[in-house]
Amino acid sequence: MRFKRYESMDQSNESINATDLYAGLTLTRLQAFVAVADHGGFSAAAAYLALGQSTISFHVKALERVLRARLIVYRERRVHLTTAGEELYRVASSVLRDTERLAATVRNIDQGQLGELRVGASMAFELAAFFERVVAPFRRAHPLLRLGLEFGHSVRLAEAVHERRLDLAYVQNWRLPTAARYEPLHTADFILMVAPHHPLARKEVVSEAQVYDAGLIAAPLYSQEWPHYEQLLREAGLHRYRVALEIDGVHARLLATRAGLGVMGVFVPPYATQHMHASLHALRLGVPSPRAEFGLVSREPALWSPAANQFASWLRQIASAGEQL
């Protein structure tokens, strides 16, 4: 909205040029005027603002000139506000408070402390360790930031970043769009696990036949992730297997595994190793565990928000620390 002219407050009813008004109605002058009103005089306001008394007087007189109104009168050795002065004081106090809030808000946004951050995460990270080791420390460091998390298939999350529906995506490097800006972070072991009370948990090494008898808890056989899952099963030593329970969703599969309903393949990032082994029992099949790479899909660097930069830096840090464990 543009304001071209303002009606003056004196009897001449002449308009005030907008350029003159904006140039004369500065925050410094409003601050000086409010200080005079709050502290009851020019000298007290000057001491409060660490300015000379003549400077305070200059600013107040400049306001009276630009607004063409008497703002302050002396009575009983103390300044008093006129009716026009009281209105200016009310509005100016609000403007100064809003200015301070605005400055703090902009500063916090620039430092990644405020605003909104939308992050996609592979459904492989629907793990307690992801929230405890990655999300929780970041939230404690950025308590005012509005963080949105979306779990899903890595390909779809990468597409969402490209379409600007997500700021970042923490995904598996498998069949990602060729246009995706991908940065590798770490590898994760694909480990077959059972509940600590499951019969296979008591065996030092398990066979393919024993896993077949126990049955797998897996994604639906015709889901988007199944071809990759099947490949990992073969690399883990399972060329013959039986799916006993199909569940769509990693967290639900974890609950079923902890209930002792079968064997589940879990991606364990470096920072989650100790946590996963405390809640589930890893099986040994006599072959090295297959690995998959995970990393960050992002937008063009010029489109990164400060909060996205902060989260990406934190992921790099936690991934690097985890790799060194």
Side-chain angles (χ1 to χ4, degrees):
M1 181 181 296
R2 295 185 61 189
F3 296 92
K4 294 185 178 179
R5 54 188 290 160
Y6 296 80
E7 294 303 321
S8 65
M9 300 175 66
D10 64 359
Q11 295 180 353
S12 66
N13 200 32
E14 295 178 357
S15 63
I16 302 175
N17 183 275
T19 302
D20 294 339
L21 183 71
Y22 294 154
L25 204 62
T26 66
L27 292 174
T28 298
R29 289 175 179 175
L30 293 179
Q31 183 189 38
F33 172 76
V34 169
V36 170
D38 284 341
H39 296 275
F42 289 89
S43 61
Y48 173 72
L49 296 177
L51 296 172
Q53 184 173 335
S54 60
T55 301
I56 298 295
S57 178
F58 170 80
H59 286 319
V60 173
K61 290 179 180 178
L63 285 176
E64 291 183 328
R65 282 196 307 271
V66 74
L67 294 174
R68 299 178 186 175
R70 188 83 176 274
L71 303 174
I72 290 176
V73 295
Y74 272 98
R75 191 168 57 245
E76 298 175 354
R77 296 185 179 181
R78 182 177 175 87
V79 297
H80 297 270
L81 300 182
T82 64
T83 302
E86 290 176 352
E87 178 62 15
L88 178 62
Y89 176 81
R90 182 186 67 82
V91 176
S93 298
S94 178
V95 167
L96 293 174
R97 287 194 298 269
D98 288 344
T99 300
E100 292 172 357
R101 283 195 291 266
L102 174 62
T105 298
V106 171
R107 184 169 58 253
N108 285 329
I109 290 175
D110 186 60
Q111 296 174 354
Q113 294 291 340
L114 278 180
E116 179 183 13
L117 176 63
R118 297 162 298 170
V119 176
S122 165
M123 61 174 60
F125 297 120
E126 290 185 80
L127 308 170
F130 173 68
F131 287 95
E132 294 176 6
R133 299 294 307 281
V134 177
V135 179
F138 183 80
R139 290 294 298 130
R140 286 194 291 269
H142 304 77
L144 302 179
L145 181 70
R146 186 166 69 255
L147 176 63
L149 290 176
E150 177 181 333
F151 290 94
H153 296 289
S154 294
V155 174
R156 294 176 184 172
L157 297 175
E159 292 171 348
V161 172
H162 180 71
E163 296 165 0
R164 300 190 181 184
R165 291 186 286 109
L166 293 174
D167 297 299
L168 300 169
Y170 180 27
V171 299
Q172 184 180 355
N173 185 15
W174 183 70
R175 293 186 179 178
L176 295 178
T178 55
R181 292 180 55 84
Y182 174 77
E183 172 191 346
L185 290 176
H186 61 74
T187 59
D189 292 327
F190 181 76
I191 301 176
L192 296 177
M193 292 189 166
V194 294
H197 61 272
H198 192 282
L200 291 185
R202 296 192 292 269
K203 298 185 178 297
E204 186 172 337
V205 179
V206 299
S207 65
E208 182 183 32
Q210 289 171 324
V211 174
Y212 182 93
D213 291 338
L216 292 176
I217 300 173
L221 295 178
Y222 299 102
S223 68
Q224 184 180 19
E225 60 185 300
W226 179 257
H228 183 53
Y229 189 82
E230 188 175 36
Q231 177 185 339
L232 289 167
L233 290 175
R234 289 195 296 269
E235 293 177 6
L238 300 181
H239 300 279
R240 180 173 174 269
Y241 53 82
R242 179 177 65 89
V243 176
L245 187 58
E246 294 182 29
I247 300 179
D248 190 11
V250 171
H251 182 64
R253 293 201 287 272
L254 282 170
L255 295 177
T257 303
R258 288 171 181 163
L261 299 179
V263 180
M264 177 184 176
V266 182
F267 287 109
V268 183
Y271 56 78
T273 302
Q274 296 179 350
H275 189 282
M276 291 299 300
H277 289 177
S279 58
L280 293 174
H281 180 82
L283 299 179
R284 293 179 56 196
L285 280 81
V287 297
S289 299
R291 287 188 165 189
E293 184 183 85
F294 290 83
L296 198 62
V297 171
S298 63
R299 304 177 188 173
E300 293 288 335
L303 299 176
W304 282 43
S305 67
N309 269 312
Q310 293 281 339
F311 190 79
S313 296
W314 170 240
L315 274 179
R316 296 185 191 105
Q317 180 182 339
I318 196 71
S320 176
E323 293 280 13
Q324 298 172 12
L325 293 177

